Amino acid sequence: MGTLENVLDHPVMVRLARSRAATRLVNPYSPVPDSRLRAAVSGRTVLVTGASYGLGAATARRLGAAGATVLLVARTAEALAGTAESVTAAGGTAHSYPCDLSDPEAVKDLASRIEERHGAVDVLVNNAGKSIRRSIEDSYDRFHDYERTIGVNYLGPVRLMLALLPGMRARGRGHLVNISTIGAIIPPGPRWSAYQASKSAFDVFFRSAATEAACDGITATSVYMALIRTRMSAPTAVFDNVPGLAPDEAAELVCRAVVDRPRRVSPWWADVAELGFTAARWPWEVVAGRLFAAGRNRPAASTGRPTKRAEEVRR
Ligand code: NAP
């Protein structure tokens, strides 16, 4: 791992990784024309979870500006109010619903308040997420890490979907969008066991539920995101030197999913890697283990990096 980090730290690599060309190659996206987005969402109700920060806030702002009524869900009421304010300042309509998605009663109450006030939602963007990057040996006494990630990334969105699907089914239309991660389609790396297991659990649930919902006219899109520069990815030093999208850029991928309703959105190289790694799963697991063993006891100072170390917890 040390060698890989040294290569990524080289000034030439840093400049390359930060260049527009690398970003566009690794994370291709193109802005959705305003007219197409407006035609798809104007007058529609779109619920965006995790709309207080990062990708969710950027997505809500873009959809709201295009004429959607956006329902904003997250825990931090003040930050939700900030997103709502930007939507209304751009002439849109937003309603904030502060809610902890890991609290079963709160999700039940959220779903019934939303249906009572707005009727069935047209689009549900499941975006809220919690990330933890920590090795297994640092997690022996941290079972709560697994409970927390499963609560926010899996059980919360399952509860919300189960509560909102009947309304969509009764109307015979609706669109479900899941903001997943490339980690769910390429082999898991070390230190991501809690996060990637919980994201993968919802990914599998979502794709299975999508096949059933399709019978009732409901479409579903899994968006496998690569790196986005948000407060979630910020604590991981190695991501500083990897091409990544700004939240507004990544929001274009979500908006395109809302407009085109494909089954899947993913970067081309993740598709290639998924195929390749399926064939080479065993060698990858050996290499990943060796890289982890080589890097785990190395003092953080030896790379000259800030001491963010292995224990990086993201909200
Ligand atoms: P972020 O800036 O940390 O935003 C996460 C959002 O989820 C926040 O609005 C947060 O709001 C909300 N949230 C967290 N716990 C919650 C809970 N218990 N109940 C309700 N809301 C909760 O992260 P982001 O990068 O925008 O992530 C958005 C999505 O993209 C996530 O699903 C993530 O897994 C996925 N993703 C991110 C990356 C990346 O590189 N950043 C890459 C691939 C996929 P509150 O704290 O106010 O509750």
Side-chain angles (χ1 to χ4, degrees), residues 1-314:
M1 200 67 100
T3 316
L4 178 64
E5 287 180 358
N6 288 339
V7 170
L8 291 173
D9 267 346
H10 192 280
V12 175
M13 291 301 288
V14 172
R15 214 170 315 132
L16 191 66
R18 289 269 175 181
S19 69
R20 290 302 302 161
T23 299
R24 296 306 285 258
L25 179 70
V26 175
N27 298 303
Y29 79 95
S30 54
V32 183
D34 287 346
S35 56
R36 289 202 64 209
L37 189 58
R38 183 162 285 280
V41 301
S42 183
R44 304 272 188 201
T45 307
V46 183
L47 190 161
V48 182
T49 68
S52 50
Y53 300 103
L55 175 60
T59 301
R61 284 194 301 265
R62 182 81 163 99
L63 293 168
T69 296
V70 280
L71 312 183
L72 314 171
V73 174
R75 289 167 304 178
T76 317
E78 314 80 68
L80 280 185
T83 308
E85 245 175 69
S86 346
V87 171
T88 46
T93 307
H95 302 275
S96 298
Y97 288 92
C99 173
D100 182 345
L101 288 170
S102 64
D103 176 343
E105 284 310 309
V107 177
K108 205 168 135 195
D109 178 57
L110 169 76
S112 59
R113 278 190 299 140
I114 281 176
E115 293 216 312
E116 220 175 276
R117 192 166 165 199
H118 307 280
V121 300
D122 295 296
V123 183
L124 168 61
V125 181
N126 168 64
N127 164 81
K130 175 181 178 60
S131 172
I132 292 177
R133 179 177 184 261
R134 181 174 286 126
S135 72
I136 290 287
E137 66 182 346
D138 285 336
S139 307
Y140 293 152
D141 59 353
R142 297 186 60 91
F143 189 69
H144 55 274
D145 281 354
Y146 296 87
E147 293 176 314
R148 282 177 189 157
T149 45
I150 278 291
V152 181
N153 298 337
Y154 177 48
L155 295 177
V158 167
R159 272 189 201 102
L160 189 60
M161 237 174 92
L162 293 179
L164 297 180
L165 260 175
M168 286 187 172
R169 278 207 152 108
R171 278 213 311 217
R173 67 178 159 84
H175 184 50
L176 306 163
V177 179
N178 176 32
I179 307 303
S180 190
T181 161
I182 53 160
I185 54 174
I186 64 172
R191 298 193 175 93
W192 294 106
S193 59
Y195 175 66
Q196 288 191 351
S198 60
K199 294 293 281 186
S200 298
F202 188 70
D203 181 56
V204 173
F205 163 85
F206 185 83
R207 286 186 289 124
S208 173
T211 58
E212 295 184 35
C215 304
D216 297 317
I218 297 159
T219 46
T221 305
S222 304
V223 184
Y224 297 97
M225 285 288 179
L227 180 66
I228 316 164
R229 299 201 187 285
T230 61
R231 66 178 192 157
M232 181 182 276
S233 58
T236 303
V238 75
F239 288 163
D240 293 349
N241 301 336
V242 172
L245 293 176
D248 286 343
E249 295 171 326
E252 294 299 324
L253 288 169
V254 184
C255 290
R256 191 161 289 281
V258 169
V259 169
D260 294 340
R261 304 183 169 214
R263 290 301 290 262
R264 164 176 169 146
V265 175
S266 50
W268 62 270
W269 57 269
D271 300 341
V272 173
E274 186 182 17
L275 282 175
F277 279 125
T278 301
R281 180 171 168 165
W282 176 78
W284 158 250
E285 286 174 359
V286 172
V287 170
R290 297 248 162 96
L291 287 173
F292 175 67
R296 72 172 170 178
N297 293 324
R298 192 169 40 86
S302 70
T303 62
R305 289 174 171 285
T307 52
K308 286 179 179 176
R309 223 179 75 78
E311 195 168 283
E312 290 158 357
V313 183
R314 275 74 65 69

